[in-house]
Amino acid sequence: MGKNIANTTHTFFFCDGGSCQKAGSEKVVREARAYLRNNEHWNNTHTIKTRCNGRCEDAPTCIVHPGEFWYKELTPEKITHIVKGHINNDCPLETELLFKEGWDAQVSSKEIAPIKPKPFMFKTDEELGDCLITRGFSSDQYLYPLFLYLLEHPKGVTLSVTSEKPIPFKDVTAVNYTKAFTLELETKIGCMALIIAAVPKEKEELLQSKISITEYFYQKETEQVGIRFKNKFGETLGNIEFDSIHNEAWKYCTKIQLQNLTLDLAQL
Ligand code: FES
């Protein structure tokens, strides 16, 4: 029989994302678990490895419940004191805290400014001609929401994936992201596949079709706005075009995907 979760007094969430792993999170988890085992707290506590907690600069990180305690820059030595402190309901190690409930702000010595897209810039592009262009984000945490939004708001949106005929987005009947790397756009006549998840370096074939560059543009000649997807080698994989600068889905792009960037046509 597994643990009786009803007896849990404390839960420790250890970040097991890439940055925390590089900073030694596995040693921290092992130390904490060994402490809990040897001090007879194994059955009334819980330790969980999580994906990235969004505070990579403070790696390795850990969150403790009950309460809202976020710890930073952990080491095997520190974690034993922290675990012990919480189990004994002593004060947490305040100096090791990144944040706790009641604080107005987090305390980090390694704060990194959030990455924001650069403003639209004028460019004479090989494919687009004179245009205003900027780069957005290409991780699946942006691209999957983008395609889901377009599924719900397809009006005036056209999708073209290289080697396939452009289709109005309203012909897309479902957006599925259940495979490891691939987003599937279902239409009545078939399925378009786009690679949007991070791909291991050795999977060369997938790297060719992985969206690594996402550009948002305004084309001077056609007065059209759109998105261009490229692989890491700079080869175009597909485009999305919007029928006007006032298109609802384009406005979503500038607000959510480009974090409120404005398109200043006076630059042209
Ligand atoms: S990988 Fe741990 S906070 Fe990002």
Side-chain angles (χ1 to χ4, degrees), residues 26-87:
E26 186 55 31
K27 285 186 206 152
V28 173
V29 181
R30 286 179 188 169
E31 207 63 28
R33 287 181 170 166
Y35 176 85
L36 294 170
R37 173 79 70 196
N38 286 347
N39 290 278
E40 299 180 78
H41 292 299
W42 191 259
N43 290 327
N44 62 330
T45 57
H46 212 51
T47 55
I48 297 171
K49 287 188 190 178
T50 72
R51 296 184 80 176
C52 176
N53 291 167
R55 289 300 311 175
C56 302
E57 54 269 68
D58 299 307
T61 62
C62 159
I63 303 165
V64 184
H65 286 178
E68 184 74 14
F69 298 98
W70 286 65
Y71 288 95
K72 62 188 175 186
E73 298 176 51
L74 292 170
T75 62
E77 295 73 34
K78 286 180 191 174
I79 196 63
T80 311
H81 292 294
I82 290 166
V83 169
K84 203 170 160 183
H86 280 276
I87 299 281

Side-chain angles (χ1 to χ4, degrees), residues 106-166:
Q106 61 197 14
V107 177
S108 169
S109 55
K110 300 181 176 171
E111 200 62 69
I112 298 172
I115 301 166
K116 294 196 74 162
K118 292 194 177 131
F120 283 93
M121 299 293 285
F122 176 79
K123 182 181 177 189
T124 302
D125 181 87
E126 235 173 67
E127 289 171 349
L128 303 169
D130 287 352
C131 62
L132 296 176
I133 194 160
T134 187
R135 270 194 192 189
F137 297 101
S138 297
S139 81
D140 57 354
Q141 291 183 34
Y142 282 88
L143 295 179
Y144 181 44
L146 168 68
F147 282 98
L148 279 184
Y149 186 92
L150 296 178
L151 180 70
E152 297 295 321
H153 303 83
K155 199 164 168 236
V157 183
T158 307
L159 169 72
S160 41
V161 175
T162 36
S163 77
E164 301 202 28
K165 231 174 100 203

Side-chain angles (χ1 to χ4, degrees), residues 8 45 48 52 60 94 105 113 125 145 161 187 195 210-211 252 256:
T8 302
T45 57
I48 297 171
C52 176
E94 298 255 334
D125 181 87
V161 175
T187 66
I195 309 296
K210 153 92 172 75
I211 296 177
Y252 153 86
I256 303 294

